[in-house]
């Protein structure tokens, strides 16, 4: 089964489970949770069939390059990721690691900044990042621009990425300075909770004078 068909099948299963009678912890009706379900032993990802225990569901777009090693990614609609995780028995990618920004230190070690710990790692030669520059997007949203943006993947390895929003929607925006307007547009869209507008935001960043025309055309789209 090709991935698009598998994805459609999984979403149909999510919809079917959502329609099941709700039960409480004693199995009685009208509770908060769906009736019991049995997750599959394997799932098909875009890269092939893997054991459910080796799969993850991507629940944030900036985590796509941060899978780490040996995991199959299920790319589902972001607003249904938690439901899909429950139905398929596959963890959300965001639960596997903090994926923090890598910050430079004088001795060329780096620290993975976290709310409750500092983990010291050693990046490859030439990878040590510099302090970011504080900038403001045209819409007034502040963000941090990095000469080289490194983020710890879910295994803790520093990984170059074009953008990252720490904390998810309304979080702190980090962008690689060399990644261009597409990266900033994606970061702004995810930060605002309007991921579907990333292409329109990118176009507005490239051509600010044309934003009015873009909005006029958008008004003609299907609702």
């Amino acid at each position: 089964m090709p991935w698009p068909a598998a994805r459609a099948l999984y979403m149909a299963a999510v919809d079917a489970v959502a329609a099941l009678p709700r039960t409480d912890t004693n199995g009685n009706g009208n509770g908060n949770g769906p009736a019991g379900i049995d997750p599959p032993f394997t799932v098909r990802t875009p890269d092939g069939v893997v054991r459910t225990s080796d799969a993850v569901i991507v629940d944030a777009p900036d985590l796509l390059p941060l899978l780490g090693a040996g995991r199959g990614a299920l790319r589902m609609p972001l607003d249904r990721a938690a439901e899909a995780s429950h139905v398929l028995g596959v963890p959300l990618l965001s639960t596997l690691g903090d994926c923090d920004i890598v910050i430079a230190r004088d001795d060329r070690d780096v620290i993975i900044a976290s709310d409750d710990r500092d983990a010291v790692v050693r990046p490859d030669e030439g990878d040590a990042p510099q302090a970011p520059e504080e900038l403001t997007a045209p819409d007034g949203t502040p963000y941090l621009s990095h000469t080289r943006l490194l983020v710890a993947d879910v295994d803790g390895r520093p990984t170059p990425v074009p953008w990252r929003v720490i904390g998810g929607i309304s979080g702190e925006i980090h962008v690689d300075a060399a990644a261009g307007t597409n990266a900033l547009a994606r970061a702004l869209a995810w930060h605002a909770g309007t991921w579907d507008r990333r292409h329109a935001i990118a176009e507005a960043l490239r051509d600010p004078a044309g934003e009015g025309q873009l909005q006029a055309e958008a008004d003609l789209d299907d609702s």
Side-chain angles (χ1 to χ4, degrees):
M1 179 186 298
W3 163 243
R7 184 178 185 273
L9 179 63
Y10 295 150
M11 291 313 303
V14 170
D15 290 336
V17 170
L20 290 175
R22 316 298 284 184
T23 61
D24 59 23
T25 55
N26 296 318
N28 300 316
N30 300 319
N32 294 322
I37 55 174
D38 294 321
F41 292 107
T42 63
V43 291
R44 175 168 289 281
T45 74
D47 298 318
V49 176
V50 301
R51 293 180 301 177
T52 301
S53 59
D54 293 329
V56 294
I57 290 179
V58 180
D59 55 324
D62 51 347
L63 298 181
L64 277 168
L66 302 173
L67 282 170
R71 296 180 182 87
L74 292 173
R75 304 192 297 257
M76 317 296 283
L78 292 170
D79 62 347
R80 307 295 300 278
E83 293 176 87
S85 173
H86 173 70
V87 172
L88 299 176
V90 175
L92 297 173
L93 182 53
S94 63
T95 66
L96 301 186
D98 293 327
C99 297
D100 291 308
I101 305 299
V102 178
I103 302 173
R105 276 201 333 193
D106 292 340
D107 58 6
R108 289 187 54 77
D109 285 352
V110 296
I111 295 177
I112 307 300
S114 178
D115 291 339
D116 56 2
R117 74 184 192 285
D118 286 338
V120 178
V121 298
R122 294 181 181 274
D124 296 334
E125 185 66 25
D127 278 353
Q130 299 176 357
E133 180 181 5
E134 297 182 8
L135 298 176
T136 303
D139 66 354
T141 303
Y143 68 96
L144 296 172
S145 176
H146 298 251
T147 302
R148 179 175 173 80
L149 178 56
L150 290 178
V151 176
D153 69 14
V154 295
D155 295 323
R157 181 172 179 78
T159 303
V161 298
W163 65 280
R164 174 86 169 101
V165 180
I166 297 295
I169 294 173
S170 298
E172 184 179 70
I173 297 176
H174 297 259
V175 176
D176 189 298
T181 55
N182 283 338
L184 179 57
R186 281 159 172 74
L188 291 172
W190 183 236
H191 173 271
T194 55
W195 178 241
D196 59 322
R197 295 198 63 247
R198 61 194 181 280
H199 301 302
I201 294 173
E203 185 64 27
L205 290 173
R206 285 190 290 268
D207 181 20
E211 186 173 3
Q213 179 64 25
L214 287 174
Q215 183 58 57
E217 294 173 356
D219 289 342
L220 304 178
D221 291 340
D222 293 336
S223 58

